[in-house]
Amino acid sequence: DRLVDLRLVLLLLLGHVRLLSLPGSAIVRSVVEFVMPAEWAPHERCFMAWPGRDQVPRRLIAEARTEIAEIAPLLARFEPVLMIVHTGFGRQAAAACGPGVEIKEMPVGAFWMRDCGPIFALRGGGKLVAVDFAFNSWGRTLPPYRGSIGDRLCRRLSIPRVTVPLVLEGGSIAVDGAGTVIALEGSILNDNRNPGRSRDDFEAAFRRYLGADRTFWPTTRPVGMRTTSSSSSHRVACSARRPRRRIAGCWLGPGSR
């Protein structure tokens, strides 16, 4: 369904979706602990989160809920969708999304699951593991929320979890599942996220936890592109694919939808 494909791409760009990968969708190498499959690899389900609490400006929350309620049932026609809902909003989300979407209530501070949720990777034998980088509300530009949605989610679903003592939003990287990661330096190495940290620190983490031995750090940007802004990770879509290893970038300016 082309409409569903296009809207899923938009959600990935906006950071509202986290994909749970299937074991066996990437080759696990012995020289690294984990491998993050490519975005386009087969996956088991889609995690989304319902806009509730104070996660969205009040002037936008009705529109955000409408959009999520339209997207989730469409995705559920093709794969299981698990909607994470802040405690007390379960009935509201269930009524809006319909019976085809699974609802789980738990405390959650943001509904951009791609950024605040864990990264799902594979370890030896193709076993699933959640790699949970720290999340600090986009460089503390929004009020912090105590606890980790990754911890709560993995406990509820009995998924093994490892923590990484570095701040990283999932939307600030893209991987090809074959050893290459594209990382937004302006976001990742910003002092409001990782003061004092270097490329070497993150390249070591990418190698260990994502199975990436090649990191591409884009250093140029269009005029007016603020790579240090809180939303920078939502303004780029990248992919690196073999055998030609092409890199494609799509930059969305401020105000783009």
Side-chain angles (χ1 to χ4, degrees), residues 130-174:
V131 177
D132 203 8
F133 285 83
F135 175 69
N136 73 343
S137 297
W138 300 283
R140 301 185 180 89
T141 57
L142 293 177
Y145 188 71
R146 293 183 179 179
S148 163
I149 183 59
D151 180 45
R152 299 184 180 101
L153 186 63
C154 291
R155 286 176 181 272
R156 185 74 64 90
L157 300 179
S158 299
I159 298 174
R161 169 178 172 262
V162 296
T163 59
V164 184
L166 297 169
V167 175
L168 180 78
E169 292 129 30
S172 64
I173 62 170

Side-chain angles (χ1 to χ4, degrees), residues 169-256:
E169 292 129 30
S172 64
I173 62 170
V175 304
D176 67 351
T180 301
V181 60
I182 300 173
L184 291 183
E185 183 171 20
S187 171
I188 297 171
L189 296 183
N190 194 315
D191 285 343
N192 65 10
R193 291 171 173 83
N194 294 288
R197 294 292 189 172
S198 66
R199 286 186 176 185
D200 289 342
D201 294 328
F202 273 88
E203 288 177 9
F206 293 155
R207 186 177 304 111
R208 178 178 180 182
Y209 296 105
L210 306 183
D213 52 18
R214 297 179 299 277
T215 302
F216 173 66
W217 299 90
T219 57
T220 60
R221 64 184 188 276
V223 175
M225 171 65 184
R226 298 179 299 154
T227 57
T228 58
S229 71
S230 62
S231 57
S232 63
S233 59
H234 304 313
R235 292 180 182 165
V236 62
C238 304
S239 64
R241 308 189 75 167
R242 289 184 173 182
R244 297 183 181 179
R245 296 179 183 171
R246 292 180 177 176
I247 297 176
C250 175
W251 299 86
L252 307 179
S256 298

